[in-house]
Amino acid sequence: MKLLIIIFSLLLLSSCDNSKSLTALCKENTQICQEFGQDNWCKKERNSVSLARIDLKATNKDEHKYKVLVAYEDYVQCMGLASQIQHIKLKEKTTMRKNNLFKAEEKLASLSDQTVNSSHPHLLYYHWSRHLNKDSLGQFLKLEGSAALENSLSQFQLATYYAKKNKNKTLRLLFRALELHQPNEELIPEVFQTLATIFTNQDKPKQAYIWLKTYHLVTTKHNKQIEKQLKQYQNAYALDGDFLDKVASNTLTKINSGEFKTPTY
């Protein structure tokens, strides 16, 4: 179950691409956007909750309920740390953060209870991965091979289930997740991270380097720890870093454009 930890933040929510669009939406959904008292902490996570709830309000689909759950989780995780910081001059800031955390935890628990009987694949996986609901897992696995799971996220979720059971199948599912990625979707960084880990464990340094570099490109170009790892790979295995960096960049371009095909491995 250790690999399930990486799921908690795997899905970034999509609706607005800039502050203007967020501002416009919030003018139309004031109550949603003012759910939490606002300060400089956890702004990104707070906005994600607002955007996810606005999407849910417009559609009321289970797919968007899943996104709201994940958004609340991210906010709770962030605010759990922020609420422990004592504001020396403005103690009401500390109180507000604790209230925000409590409110988010309540909303998360309530929506989780509301969706426990949903048959949507994302919610079935959610209730297994978070609450070890075996009935949800059974229903989720019955959908394997069906059109319902032919999407990038579901393939990744399947991969996490098979990670300790069947490494070849895990690789196939991870690559399938990349094949199914649509240009208008957010990438799942953990797919690249998991690929790098698997190839490292299989002592395949070139593949490990390529996927670690791709993960680096997807997340941030200034992560010193990852940059150090990449240098260590180059030195330890005499790898042509410049060439493999180009391979990683070209691979990411193909994924983003929906043209990626599973390589030989």
Side-chain angles (χ1 to χ4, degrees), residues 18-232:
N18 52 62
S19 58
K20 288 186 177 180
S21 58
L22 173 60
T23 300
L25 284 171
C26 282
K27 284 183 179 179
E28 300 171 359
N29 299 274
T30 306
Q31 188 174 359
I32 288 177
C33 292
Q34 294 181 355
E35 178 179 14
F36 302 117
Q38 299 183 10
D39 63 1
N40 291 328
W41 286 93
C42 307
K43 183 177 180 180
K44 175 184 175 182
E45 290 79 8
R46 185 174 67 243
N47 288 343
S48 291
V49 171
S50 297
L51 293 174
R53 289 192 59 203
I54 291 170
D55 281 345
L56 179 60
K57 177 184 175 182
T59 65
N60 197 33
K61 292 182 178 180
D62 280 0
E63 177 183 358
H64 289 109
K65 291 178 183 178
Y66 171 80
K67 293 182 179 181
V68 173
L69 284 167
V70 173
Y72 271 128
E73 282 185 341
D74 289 344
Y75 182 79
V76 166
Q77 183 179 23
C78 179
M79 191 51 67
L81 297 174
S83 63
Q84 298 175 28
I85 300 173
Q86 298 296 319
H87 202 294
I88 298 175
K89 294 184 179 180
L90 299 173
K91 292 186 177 181
E92 62 268 22
K93 284 280 188 180
T94 302
T95 300
M96 180 186 65
R97 290 168 186 167
K98 290 181 178 179
N99 289 339
N100 284 349
L101 175 61
F102 179 71
K103 185 184 295 185
E105 288 175 335
E106 280 194 322
K107 291 291 184 69
L108 177 60
S110 176
L111 186 55
S112 180
D113 289 341
Q114 292 174 31
T115 58
V116 69
N117 294 318
S118 171
S119 60
H120 191 283
H122 296 348
L123 290 172
L124 290 173
Y125 181 83
Y126 179 90
H127 286 286
W128 170 65
S129 62
R130 272 59 162 187
H131 306 299
L132 298 182
N133 188 314
K134 293 183 178 179
D135 289 337
S136 295
L137 174 62
Q139 293 182 60
F140 178 73
L141 293 178
K142 285 181 180 178
L143 295 173
E144 186 174 354
S146 71
L149 299 192
E150 279 295 292
N151 60 80
S152 185
L153 177 58
S154 291
Q155 293 297 297
F156 176 58
Q157 291 171 337
L158 272 175
T160 65
Y161 171 76
Y162 285 107
K164 290 187 176 180
K165 299 174 175 63
N166 188 326
K167 284 294 187 292
N168 285 332
K169 186 169 186 176
T170 300
L171 279 173
R172 177 168 58 80
L173 290 166
L174 290 170
F175 284 133
R176 183 59 177 157
L178 296 179
E179 286 185 336
L180 291 172
H181 172 75
Q182 300 299 307
N184 61 335
E185 292 178 338
E186 293 284 352
L187 287 164
I188 305 171
E190 290 79 10
V191 172
F192 308 105
Q193 186 181 42
T194 307
L195 284 168
T197 300
I198 290 175
F199 284 122
T200 297
N201 293 336
Q202 292 183 348
D203 196 24
K204 296 181 177 179
K206 288 184 179 180
Q207 291 93 326
Y209 182 98
I210 289 169
W211 292 110
L212 182 59
K213 179 64 179 182
T214 309
Y215 173 70
H216 189 221
L217 293 172
V218 169
T219 52
T220 173
K221 294 183 179 180
H222 304 289
N223 188 313
K224 293 187 180 298
Q225 184 177 356
I226 295 180
E227 290 173 357
K228 183 179 179 180
Q229 285 181 275
L230 290 168
K231 284 293 184 183
Q232 289 174 342

